[in-house]
């Protein structure tokens, strides 16, 4: 395999996954170096001595379960689902990989008891190491997420009076989440009270802020009207949300008529806020409610200032 080649991935799109469905293989690195990534971030370097097993782990997990118990295998599978999805790529100039067809291996194991027992013992040891790797990966990703959430909190909420404690409460209720947005993706098809979310069904109940990268606001002609970055702090999404005051909706409609919001040349990280869950917390906590009203007021003033600046420039 040459440098950059993808050997195995949990992050494949559904279409790519369907193409690889027939290939049920396990892999061992024989020569060279591999890199395990998640969301584009390097998590681990694999070398031949690391005895790292990757590929179709369903075979390894089921075999591990036979040595332990079906219950243990089920628990392990459920536990593994909590860890970050990964992609394994060739890091060195070239790499030699030992590829094992698990379907053929099952047939041979059924015919040879000694081989069957040897494979069971080997996979049992390796899966124990695999869990240790996954734990380390989860810790790395957790720290990365914590850092990103802290940055988003400071950029969007801190100045309004919303506390870190409030933000962590929102996190615990899944009211705020970080999402990866690919370059060029259209996030909102049109601004104003009739703004349309271009995403999966049900996304209309969300408000968004950009936390990493940049977004482009396009008008009907295709011209870029404005660039939004984490520093600009612009809110976008479902402006019909009950937590968005009518005056802010009118400001958006006036400042960005018939415009769309797209991700720039590089991928972005978006903070997604569930309006219904935010509204519920506002009803329960007056301090939080006041802080959020303050946030909406700041957004309105920012939009008005931006609109007036553009009008002045065009005079």
């Amino acid at each position: 395999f040459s440098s950059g080649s993808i050997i195995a991935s949990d992050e494949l799109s559904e279409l790519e996954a369907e193409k690889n469905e027939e290939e049920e293989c396990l892999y061992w690195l024989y020569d060279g170096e591999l890199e395990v990534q998640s969301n584009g971030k390097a998590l681990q370097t694999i070398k031949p001595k690391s005895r790292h097993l990757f590929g179709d782990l369903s075979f390894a997990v089921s075999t591990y379960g036979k040595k332990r118990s079906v219950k243990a295998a089920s628990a392990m599978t459920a536990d593994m689902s909590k860890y970050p999805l990964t992609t394994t790529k060739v890091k060195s100039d070239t790499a030699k990989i030992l590829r094992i067809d698990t379907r053929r291996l099952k047939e041979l194991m059924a015919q040879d008891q000694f081989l069957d027992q040897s494979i069971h013992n080997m996979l049992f040891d390796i899966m124990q190491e695999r869990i240790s790797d996954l734990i380390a990966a989860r810790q790395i990703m957790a720290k990365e997420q914590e850092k990103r959430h802290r940055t988003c909190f400071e950029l969007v909420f801190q100045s309004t009076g919303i506390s870190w404690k409030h933000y962590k409460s929102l996190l615990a209720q899944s009211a705020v989440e970080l999402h990866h947005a690919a370059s060029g993706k259209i996030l909102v098809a049109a601004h104003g009270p009739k703004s349309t979310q271009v995403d999966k069904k049900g996304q209309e109940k969300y408000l968004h802020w950009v936390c990493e990268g940049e977004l482009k606001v396009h008008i009907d002609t295709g011209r870029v009207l404005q660039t939004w970055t984490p520093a600009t702090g612009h809110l976008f999404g479902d402006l019909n949300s009950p937590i968005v005051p009518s005056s802010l909706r009118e400001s958006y409609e006036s400042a960005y008529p018939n415009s769309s919001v797209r991700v720039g040349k590089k991928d972005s990280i978006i903070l997604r806020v569930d309006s219904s869950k935010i509204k519920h917390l506002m009803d329960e906590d007056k301090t939080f409610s006041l802080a959020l009203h303050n946030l909406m007021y700041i957004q309105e003033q920012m939009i008005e200032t931006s609109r007036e600046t553009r009008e002045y420039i065009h005079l």
Side-chain angles (χ1 to χ4, degrees):
F1 291 90
S2 59
S3 179
S5 297
I6 295 177
I7 308 301
S9 178
D10 302 317
E11 301 178 293
L12 293 174
S13 66
E14 290 182 9
L15 182 62
E16 290 171 317
E18 285 177 8
K19 290 179 181 178
N20 289 339
E21 230 173 29
E22 295 181 3
E23 192 171 334
E24 298 175 9
C25 296
L26 285 173
Y27 300 93
W28 257 287
L29 177 64
Y30 174 71
D31 184 53
E33 288 188 357
L34 306 179
E35 184 173 78
V36 181
Q37 301 176 353
S38 181
N39 234 2
K41 300 284 185 179
L43 297 180
Q44 185 182 14
T45 296
I46 302 174
K47 297 181 179 181
K49 291 182 179 180
S50 63
R51 293 210 317 157
H52 194 99
L53 177 72
F54 56 99
D56 177 28
L57 292 181
S58 60
F59 167 75
V61 170
S62 63
T63 307
Y64 169 89
K66 289 176 183 176
K67 186 169 179 66
R68 297 277 307 271
S69 66
V70 174
K71 184 177 180 181
S74 298
M76 180 179 178
T77 304
D79 196 42
M80 286 175 69
S81 68
K82 300 174 185 176
Y83 296 99
L85 299 179
T86 60
T87 295
T88 304
K89 294 183 176 181
V90 176
K91 183 179 180 181
S92 53
D93 292 337
T94 59
K96 294 180 180 179
I97 310 291
L98 176 65
R99 185 172 65 180
I100 302 171
D101 186 328
T102 54
R103 290 174 295 184
R104 180 61 181 147
L105 181 59
K106 289 175 190 175
E107 294 173 1
L108 294 172
M109 288 170 65
Q111 299 170 16
D112 188 326
Q113 188 175 0
F114 179 77
L115 175 64
D116 181 75
Q117 188 60 48
S118 298
I119 294 295
H120 275 83
N121 292 337
M122 178 186 66
L123 289 179
F124 177 78
D125 292 338
I126 289 176
M127 289 309 292
Q128 296 293 327
E129 294 177 10
R130 175 66 169 162
I131 287 297
S132 297
D133 291 342
L134 290 171
I135 290 172
R138 183 167 67 174
Q139 290 173 341
I140 291 171
M141 296 302 292
K143 288 180 180 178
E144 186 70 26
Q145 284 292 85
E146 172 84 11
K147 184 179 177 181
R148 281 176 168 166
H149 274 296
R150 175 64 76 168
T151 300
C152 289
F153 164 73
E154 292 172 353
L155 286 169
V156 178
F157 298 111
Q158 191 172 37
S159 62
T160 68
I162 294 176
S163 66
W164 177 242
K165 182 179 178 181
H166 278 134
Y167 188 85
K168 290 182 75 173
S169 175
L170 296 175
L171 272 177
Q173 299 174 48
S174 298
V176 292
E177 297 176 318
L178 293 176
H179 283 264
H180 175 267
S183 172
K185 181 178 181 180
I186 300 176
L187 299 175
V188 179
H191 254 305
K194 296 181 181 180
S195 64
T196 305
Q197 295 282 328
V198 184
D199 218 325
K200 295 180 181 178
K201 188 176 180 181
Q203 294 290 306
E204 62 276 0
K205 68 176 182 176
Y206 294 105
L207 294 171
H208 310 265
W209 279 268
V210 59
C211 288
E212 289 182 20
E214 62 179 31
L215 307 180
K216 301 290 185 180
V217 182
H218 294 257
I219 56 177
D220 282 345
T221 60
R223 182 172 66 88
V224 175
L225 185 65
Q226 200 171 33
T227 297
W228 292 349
T229 66
T232 61
H234 285 80
L235 167 154
F236 62 99
D238 177 28
L239 301 180
N240 292 310
S241 165
I243 68 174
V244 177
S246 58
S247 56
L248 178 55
R249 284 196 292 272
E250 290 167 3
S251 293
Y252 262 102
E253 183 180 22
S254 174
Y256 307 107
N258 301 315
S259 60
S260 62
V261 180
R262 305 184 186 196
V263 181
K265 292 182 178 180
K266 295 183 179 181
D267 295 359
S268 294
I269 299 296
I270 306 297
L271 178 69
R272 189 176 77 172
V273 177
D274 188 318
S275 300
S276 59
K277 291 180 180 179
I278 292 286
K279 181 66 169 63
H280 180 70
L281 188 59
M282 288 175 69
D283 294 338
E284 291 184 338
D285 190 324
K286 290 184 179 180
T287 303
F288 177 75
S289 179
L290 182 63
L292 199 72
H293 282 302
N294 187 33
L295 172 61
M296 294 301 165
Y297 174 76
I298 292 172
Q299 285 288 320
E300 187 175 343
Q301 294 302 306
M302 183 173 60
I303 295 302
E304 284 300 312
T305 301
S306 177
R307 182 179 61 80
E308 290 170 2
T309 301
R310 290 202 309 274
E311 288 178 352
Y312 176 79
I313 291 173
H314 283 89
L315 287 178

